[in-house]
Amino acid sequence: MRNQFIETFTKHNIGNTCFIINDNFLIDTGGSADIVKNIKLVGIKLSGIHDIFISHTHTDHLLGLFWLLKRLTGMYRSGNYTGKLNIYCNDEVAVAIKDIYKHLYPDVYVDLINEYINIIVVNDGEELTINNQKYKFIDLKASKNKLYGFETTFDSGKTLVFLGDEILNPELYDVVKDKDYVMHEAFCLDLDKEIFKPYEKKHSTVKYVCESLNKLNIKNLILYHTEDTHPNDKDVLYKEEAKQYFDNNVIVPKDLDVIEIK
Ligand SMILES: [Zn+2]
């Protein structure tokens, strides 16, 4: 198995809202059935997915889960998916998942999901070991639905902080200070802000993220959760803007890109 990778999933049809760590820990699920296809496209078997973290209840992070459950349940029924599916999330997300899935499938499927699903509520500051790697979950003190992120350290010793999809609350700047990789949303370029109005959705521009985090000695800033209008040259355009305001490395993953943590 490859190790120490983040694989990102496509934004088309609402999706660069999710990624997978080390081929086996899925972080958010996008908003559509594309998640099922995209996991396979990066060469990962669905039967190997046993751990999922859901950051908050918004459509573009949560709804893909129900398409995934549909597929996994079919596999479970035919013996092609065995073991538990652990879903780590805050209490608000846990309530939403339990409420929703019982309405979406025939009874036989709901009974099977009840057999293999394991919803694990995490609290602010709680540490868990998932696939031999420690994760510390963080309440991001967001202004919208309860939003959680995490920090983790890879085998190589490199640190990663995942910040969900809202502008980082300055109260949490200490959490990202001196980290190797920090994953922050950047909804659009500064010059497109009148078109996309990112601040209405608690999202930022590339310029804003870079300016506000520049003095925190983050080695690699990963900008994700972007608008959709530059599918081919997004990385070039976003990095061009970023380098005017951020001194260290900036990574802008395109659809299905793999980021090696090194
Ligand atoms: Zn989102």
Side-chain angles (χ1 to χ4, degrees), residues 234-256:
K234 179 178 82 176
D235 53 339
V236 175
L237 294 170
Y238 279 48
K239 276 192 207 171
E240 226 167 60
E241 182 168 305
K243 74 175 183 221
Q244 299 173 54
Y245 307 101
F246 195 79
D247 297 329
N248 291 341
N249 190 39
V250 174
I251 298 167
V252 183
K254 292 205 286 183
D255 297 351
L256 305 177

Side-chain angles (χ1 to χ4, degrees), residues 55-235:
S55 62
H56 65 301
T57 54
H58 280 175
T59 52
D60 53 328
H61 300 261
L62 177 61
L63 294 191
L65 174 67
F66 301 106
W67 292 102
L68 197 54
L69 287 179
K70 187 175 181 191
R71 178 61 61 90
L72 292 179
T73 306
M75 291 167 62
Y76 184 80
R77 199 179 189 188
S78 58
N80 293 314
Y81 184 80
T82 53
K84 291 280 182 188
L85 175 66
N86 301 309
I87 300 178
Y88 309 87
C89 56
N90 66 54
D91 55 347
E92 194 175 289
V93 176
V95 168
I97 293 170
K98 287 178 195 161
D99 266 0
I100 295 168
Y101 80 76
K102 60 181 186 241
H103 300 289
L104 299 182
Y105 317 100
D107 288 348
V108 58
Y109 266 48
V110 174
D111 291 343
L112 292 170
I113 292 171
N114 287 336
E115 272 178 29
Y116 73 78
I117 204 171
N118 185 22
I119 296 176
I120 298 159
V121 174
V122 296
N123 295 302
D124 187 27
E126 188 173 343
E127 280 190 355
L128 288 177
T129 300
I130 298 163
N131 298 323
N132 301 315
Q133 189 162 316
K134 261 199 192 132
Y135 291 80
K136 182 180 179 185
F137 295 94
I138 309 162
D139 184 339
L140 294 167
K141 300 183 172 44
S143 56
K144 57 186 177 196
N145 314 38
K146 196 183 274 191
L147 172 68
Y148 267 44
F150 57 77
E151 54 178 286
T152 186
T153 304
F154 288 82
D155 287 349
S156 60
K158 298 292 181 189
T159 48
L160 166 76
V161 183
F162 165 65
L163 296 171
D165 75 344
E166 189 172 310
I167 298 173
L168 179 61
N169 186 328
E171 279 177 47
L172 296 172
Y173 279 0
D174 272 354
V175 172
V176 297
K177 201 163 180 288
D178 303 321
K179 293 295 192 293
D180 295 305
Y181 292 83
V182 169
M183 209 159 174
H184 193 296
E185 61 82 32
F187 198 71
C188 65
L189 296 167
D190 196 62
L191 62 90
D192 287 340
K193 70 180 172 217
E194 293 313 317
I195 303 170
F196 296 108
K197 302 188 176 11
Y199 301 114
E200 286 179 357
K201 290 166 279 197
K202 309 293 178 196
H203 295 327
S204 7
T205 66
V206 172
K207 177 187 174 187
Y208 181 88
V209 185
C210 291
E211 264 183 347
S212 52
L213 302 185
N214 190 38
K215 294 296 170 219
L216 298 172
N217 190 34
I218 295 161
K219 312 295 186 302
N220 300 274
L221 179 61
I222 303 172
L223 298 178
Y224 90 117
H225 199 284
T226 60
E227 52 84 16
D228 244 347
T229 60
H230 308 291
N232 300 317
D233 52 359
K234 179 178 82 176
D235 53 339

